[in-house]
């Protein structure tokens, strides 16, 4: 879930606890997504001047990213950026989140390659949803990338599209890890069972109070 996400508003906490589903609060904004083997992540981590003329603010970065994926999905489906989502027509297949600092910005996307229908039951319909969702349930709102192209083709087309904007080279992230560097303390973290139980308890108490003062 996003950095400001509230578990009681976004998750069906009781089944999440029962099935021992890990809940991660990431350091970026955005909504809550189910992550499993059917998820593909793509992240751009850029210095402020990496893209000439691009203003380091959410909407310009989002618009720029859609130009990249317009190349990736050219000739495949009805791709577009709708509000903060990547969609084919009116069905979402990619959710975005960002982090912007003084000298750098990060834009990452969780692409829905495939999903288990039953896993979507862990998510509530968010109070703040894009207008085009029209209160549709998850099964009527989201779409799988696998119905349009293979995973390998998607990766190849993404790399090729980025190659028109940047000079690329492959690196081994583990081989480039500098053990002598200053220790990194991540702000993304796993929520504890106690935190989730407290969130559920607080929500139940709030609902009970609302019911007790509701007029006839």
């Amino acid at each position: 879930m996003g950095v400001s996400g509230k578990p009681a508003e976004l998750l069906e906490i009781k089944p999440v606890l029962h099935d021992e589903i890990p809940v991660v609060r990431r350091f970026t904004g955005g909504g809550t997504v189910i992550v499993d083997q059917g998820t593909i992540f793509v992240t751009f981590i850029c210095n402020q001047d990496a893209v000439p003329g691009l203003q380091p603010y959410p909407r310009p970065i989002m618009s720029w990213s859609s130009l990249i994926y317009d190349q990736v999905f050219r000739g495949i489906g009805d791709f577009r950026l709708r509000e903060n989502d990547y969609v084919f027509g009116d069905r979402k297949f990619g959710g975005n989140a960002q982090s912007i600092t003084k000298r750098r910005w990060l834009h990452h996307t969780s692409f829905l390659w495939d999903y288990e229908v039953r896993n979507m039951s862990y998510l509530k319909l968010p109070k703040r949803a894009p207008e085009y969702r029209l209160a549709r349930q998850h099964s009527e709102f989201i779409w799988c990338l696998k119905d349009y192209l293979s995973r390998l083709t998607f990766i190849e087309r993404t790399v090729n599209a980025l190659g028109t904007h940047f000079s690329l080279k492959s690196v081994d992230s583990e081989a480039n890890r500098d053990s002598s560097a200053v220790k990194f303390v991540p702000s993304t973290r796993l929520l504890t069972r106690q935190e989730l139980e407290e969130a559920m308890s607080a929500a139940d108490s709030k609902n009970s109070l609302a019911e007790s003062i509701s007029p006839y």
Side-chain angles (χ1 to χ4, degrees):
M1 68 172 55
V3 65
S4 60
K6 298 179 180 180
E9 295 180 2
L10 300 168
L11 304 173
E12 296 291 354
I13 299 180
K14 189 173 182 179
V16 165
L17 289 171
H18 179 271
D19 296 341
E20 299 184 337
I21 304 300
V23 178
V24 177
R25 188 192 299 281
R26 62 180 182 271
F27 70 96
T28 57
T32 304
V33 296
I34 296 291
V35 176
D36 57 21
Q37 67 276 8
T39 310
I40 299 177
F41 293 110
V42 178
T43 303
F44 305 135
I45 305 173
C46 297
N47 290 328
Q48 191 179 91
D49 59 355
V51 181
L54 179 65
Q55 294 296 310
Y57 299 106
R59 181 47 54 182
I61 294 172
M62 190 76 70
S63 297
W64 171 82
S65 75
S66 72
L67 299 178
I68 297 290
Y69 290 112
D70 186 58
Q71 292 178 250
V72 175
F73 298 113
R74 190 162 295 162
I76 302 174
D78 179 21
F79 171 77
R80 67 184 72 179
L81 171 67
R82 295 196 67 170
E83 299 183 44
N84 296 322
D85 301 331
Y86 299 143
V87 303
F88 286 134
D90 64 353
R91 302 285 288 271
K92 175 180 177 178
F93 67 89
N96 299 291
Q98 299 173 342
S99 177
I100 302 172
T101 63
K102 185 177 181 180
R103 294 185 176 85
R104 290 183 176 180
W105 55 265
L106 175 151
H107 176 92
H108 62 197
T109 305
S110 56
F111 286 101
L112 195 63
W113 172 256
D114 195 8
Y115 71 94
E116 293 284 346
V117 174
R118 62 184 178 83
N119 287 344
M120 294 301 158
S121 64
Y122 295 121
L123 301 179
K124 287 184 175 180
L125 191 67
K127 292 182 178 180
R128 294 182 59 187
E131 290 185 10
Y132 79 93
R133 180 166 185 160
L134 301 175
R136 287 177 290 170
Q137 295 298 317
H138 294 293
S139 60
E140 300 172 336
F141 174 59
I142 57 180
W143 205 258
C144 296
L145 261 182
K146 72 170 188 176
D147 295 334
Y148 289 85
L149 72 174
S150 71
R151 184 187 291 256
L152 179 59
T153 299
F154 168 70
I155 293 172
E156 289 177 343
R157 291 177 72 121
T158 300
V159 171
N160 290 338
L162 287 170
T164 65
H165 293 262
F166 304 102
S167 176
L168 305 179
K169 67 176 181 179
S170 298
V171 297
D172 184 332
S173 59
E174 291 300 320
N176 282 275
R177 189 184 297 275
D178 184 358
S179 60
S180 66
V182 176
K183 184 178 180 181
F184 172 66
V185 180
S187 52
T188 292
R189 68 183 186 86
L190 189 68
L191 296 187
T192 65
R193 184 178 185 88
Q194 180 179 344
E195 287 177 298
L196 294 174
E197 289 174 342
E198 289 175 351
M200 182 171 63
S201 177
D204 289 343
S205 297
K206 183 177 180 180
N207 291 336
S208 296
L209 178 61
E211 290 175 2
S212 66
I213 62 176
S214 294
Y216 290 102

